[in-house]
mmCIF file of all heavy atoms in Angstrom:
data_model
loop_
_atom_site.group_PDB
_atom_site.id
_atom_site.type_symbol
_atom_site.label_atom_id
_atom_site.label_comp_id
_atom_site.label_asym_id
_atom_site.label_seq_id
_atom_site.Cartn_x
_atom_site.Cartn_y
_atom_site.Cartn_z
ATOM 1 N N SER A 229 -12.699 -60.065 89.205
ATOM 2 C CA SER A 229 -12.707 -58.705 89.760
ATOM 3 C C SER A 229 -13.650 -58.496 90.940
ATOM 4 O O SER A 229 -13.427 -57.588 91.754
ATOM 5 C CB SER A 229 -13.082 -57.709 88.656
ATOM 6 O OG SER A 229 -12.083 -57.643 87.682
ATOM 7 N N LEU A 230 -14.697 -59.298 91.034
ATOM 8 C CA LEU A 230 -15.728 -59.067 92.038
ATOM 9 C C LEU A 230 -15.185 -58.938 93.465
ATOM 10 O O LEU A 230 -15.533 -57.983 94.175
ATOM 11 C CB LEU A 230 -16.792 -60.159 91.961
ATOM 12 C CG LEU A 230 -18.004 -60.002 92.877
ATOM 13 C CD1 LEU A 230 -18.717 -58.674 92.608
ATOM 14 C CD2 LEU A 230 -18.969 -61.169 92.697
ATOM 15 N N PRO A 231 -14.326 -59.854 93.936
ATOM 16 C CA PRO A 231 -13.827 -59.716 95.309
ATOM 17 C C PRO A 231 -13.042 -58.420 95.525
ATOM 18 O O PRO A 231 -13.110 -57.819 96.612
ATOM 19 C CB PRO A 231 -12.920 -60.943 95.480
ATOM 20 C CG PRO A 231 -13.363 -61.911 94.440
ATOM 21 C CD PRO A 231 -13.810 -61.072 93.284
ATOM 22 N N HIS A 232 -12.307 -57.982 94.511
ATOM 23 C CA HIS A 232 -11.505 -56.768 94.628
ATOM 24 C C HIS A 232 -12.384 -55.519 94.583
ATOM 25 O O HIS A 232 -12.061 -54.509 95.204
ATOM 26 C CB HIS A 232 -10.459 -56.729 93.515
ATOM 27 C CG HIS A 232 -9.526 -57.903 93.536
ATOM 28 N ND1 HIS A 232 -8.612 -58.105 94.546
ATOM 29 C CD2 HIS A 232 -9.392 -58.956 92.686
ATOM 30 C CE1 HIS A 232 -7.933 -59.216 94.312
ATOM 31 N NE2 HIS A 232 -8.395 -59.759 93.201
ATOM 32 N N LYS A 233 -13.496 -55.601 93.850
ATOM 33 C CA LYS A 233 -14.459 -54.493 93.858
ATOM 34 C C LYS A 233 -15.058 -54.349 95.248
ATOM 35 O O LYS A 233 -15.156 -53.234 95.782
ATOM 36 C CB LYS A 233 -15.564 -54.745 92.838
ATOM 37 C CG LYS A 233 -16.700 -53.705 92.859
ATOM 38 C CD LYS A 233 -17.809 -54.084 91.894
ATOM 39 C CE LYS A 233 -18.915 -53.023 91.844
ATOM 40 N NZ LYS A 233 -19.629 -52.878 93.130
ATOM 41 N N GLU A 234 -15.462 -55.470 95.824
ATOM 42 C CA GLU A 234 -16.083 -55.433 97.143
ATOM 43 C C GLU A 234 -15.118 -54.947 98.219
ATOM 44 O O GLU A 234 -15.537 -54.331 99.203
ATOM 45 C CB GLU A 234 -16.609 -56.827 97.483
ATOM 46 C CG GLU A 234 -17.768 -57.274 96.579
ATOM 47 C CD GLU A 234 -18.181 -58.714 96.822
ATOM 48 O OE1 GLU A 234 -17.388 -59.462 97.428
ATOM 49 O OE2 GLU A 234 -19.298 -59.087 96.401
ATOM 50 N N ALA A 235 -13.823 -55.206 98.008
ATOM 51 C CA ALA A 235 -12.811 -54.771 98.980
ATOM 52 C C ALA A 235 -12.334 -53.348 98.717
ATOM 53 O O ALA A 235 -11.529 -52.811 99.496
ATOM 54 C CB ALA A 235 -11.620 -55.731 98.942
ATOM 55 N N GLY A 236 -12.793 -52.726 97.633
ATOM 56 C CA GLY A 236 -12.408 -51.353 97.321
ATOM 57 C C GLY A 236 -11.061 -51.216 96.639
ATOM 58 O O GLY A 236 -10.562 -50.097 96.479
ATOM 59 N N ARG A 237 -10.475 -52.336 96.218
ATOM 60 C CA ARG A 237 -9.158 -52.266 95.579
ATOM 61 C C ARG A 237 -9.243 -51.807 94.120
ATOM 62 O O ARG A 237 -8.263 -51.329 93.563
ATOM 63 C CB ARG A 237 -8.458 -53.619 95.667
ATOM 64 C CG ARG A 237 -8.030 -53.992 97.084
ATOM 65 C CD ARG A 237 -7.210 -55.252 97.100
ATOM 66 N NE ARG A 237 -8.042 -56.433 96.933
ATOM 67 C CZ ARG A 237 -8.557 -57.138 97.936
ATOM 68 N NH1 ARG A 237 -8.314 -56.763 99.192
ATOM 69 N NH2 ARG A 237 -9.310 -58.199 97.717
ATOM 70 N N ILE A 238 -10.397 -52.017 93.502
ATOM 71 C CA ILE A 238 -10.628 -51.543 92.129
ATOM 72 C C ILE A 238 -12.004 -50.885 92.053
ATOM 73 O O ILE A 238 -12.868 -51.146 92.897
ATOM 74 C CB ILE A 238 -10.561 -52.687 91.093
ATOM 75 C CG1 ILE A 238 -11.625 -53.754 91.399
ATOM 76 C CG2 ILE A 238 -9.163 -53.279 91.012
ATOM 77 C CD1 ILE A 238 -11.771 -54.810 90.321
ATOM 78 N N ASN A 239 -12.178 -50.061 91.040
ATOM 79 C CA ASN A 239 -13.489 -49.507 90.730
ATOM 80 C C ASN A 239 -13.946 -50.078 89.393
ATOM 81 O O ASN A 239 -13.148 -50.178 88.452
ATOM 82 C CB ASN A 239 -13.446 -47.979 90.649
ATOM 83 C CG ASN A 239 -13.225 -47.346 92.009
ATOM 84 O OD1 ASN A 239 -13.655 -47.886 93.035
ATOM 85 N ND2 ASN A 239 -12.547 -46.216 92.037
ATOM 86 N N VAL A 240 -15.205 -50.469 89.308
ATOM 87 C CA VAL A 240 -15.769 -51.019 88.079
ATOM 88 C C VAL A 240 -16.611 -49.929 87.434
ATOM 89 O O VAL A 240 -17.560 -49.426 88.044
ATOM 90 C CB VAL A 240 -16.611 -52.275 88.362
ATOM 91 C CG1 VAL A 240 -17.171 -52.830 87.055
ATOM 92 C CG2 VAL A 240 -15.774 -53.336 89.069
ATOM 93 N N LEU A 241 -16.272 -49.579 86.179
ATOM 94 C CA LEU A 241 -16.887 -48.429 85.534
ATOM 95 C C LEU A 241 -18.031 -48.790 84.600
ATOM 96 O O LEU A 241 -18.949 -47.992 84.407
ATOM 97 C CB LEU A 241 -15.830 -47.642 84.753
ATOM 98 C CG LEU A 241 -14.556 -47.265 85.522
ATOM 99 C CD1 LEU A 241 -13.655 -46.411 84.641
ATOM 100 C CD2 LEU A 241 -14.889 -46.558 86.823
ATOM 101 N N ALA A 242 -17.983 -49.969 83.991
ATOM 102 C CA ALA A 242 -19.027 -50.364 83.038
ATOM 103 C C ALA A 242 -18.951 -51.859 82.790
ATOM 104 O O ALA A 242 -17.897 -52.484 82.977
ATOM 105 C CB ALA A 242 -18.885 -49.598 81.727
ATOM 106 N N VAL A 243 -20.070 -52.432 82.350
ATOM 107 C CA VAL A 243 -20.123 -53.864 82.047
ATOM 108 C C VAL A 243 -20.520 -54.054 80.580
ATOM 109 O O VAL A 243 -21.396 -53.358 80.063
ATOM 110 C CB VAL A 243 -21.113 -54.608 82.987
ATOM 111 C CG1 VAL A 243 -22.502 -54.004 82.901
ATOM 112 C CG2 VAL A 243 -21.163 -56.089 82.660
#
Side-chain angles (χ1 to χ4, degrees):
S229 293
L230 185 58
H232 301 293
K233 175 184 183 296
E234 293 174 343
R237 291 186 284 268
I238 60 171
N239 290 329
V240 181
L241 309 184
V243 57

